[in-house]
Amino acid sequence: TLFPYTTLFRSAPPAYLVTGGFDPLRDEGREWGERLQLSGVRVVSQHAPSMVHGFLHMTTVSPGARDAVLAMARGWRDLVAERRAVRAS
């Protein structure tokens, strides 16, 4: 790689990464998560295999999108709670 990601992201906060199975940016999202992890960033990944790009906006018409967004909200809540616990200790 030409860019020193490990230096740039060393002090980055945890990341919550969501990809959809039919998202044209799925592979780039996974690669981004891998780069963050290699830099030492805590990354939590969620993959919604049946979702398309923009599924966050489809929760009123797609039960699958609604379920994926609810899972994402729970995951984000847990990541924030984990971060708070680390900072408090």
Side-chain angles (χ1 to χ4, degrees):
T1 181
L2 298 175
F3 192 81
Y5 289 100
T6 55
T7 303
L8 180 64
F9 300 121
R10 189 170 294 145
S11 61
Y16 194 84
L17 179 68
V18 180
T19 56
F22 296 101
D23 187 338
L25 300 175
R26 178 195 63 216
D27 295 338
E28 288 84 348
R30 287 181 180 167
E31 182 180 335
W32 182 248
E34 290 170 5
R35 287 182 181 182
L36 288 173
Q37 285 180 323
L38 288 173
S39 299
V41 175
R42 167 93 164 95
V43 177
V44 175
S45 296
Q46 174 186 337
H47 181 67
S50 62
M51 293 294 111
V52 298
H53 186 82
F55 73 88
L56 297 171
H57 305 286
M58 301 176 190
T59 57
T60 59
V61 295
S62 169
R66 184 175 50 254
D67 292 345
V69 169
L70 290 172
M72 184 175 63
R74 287 188 296 271
W76 178 251
R77 178 199 60 207
D78 295 346
L79 182 60
V80 169
E82 174 186 296
R83 179 73 170 174
R84 285 184 178 159
V86 167
R87 294 179 105 188
S89 61

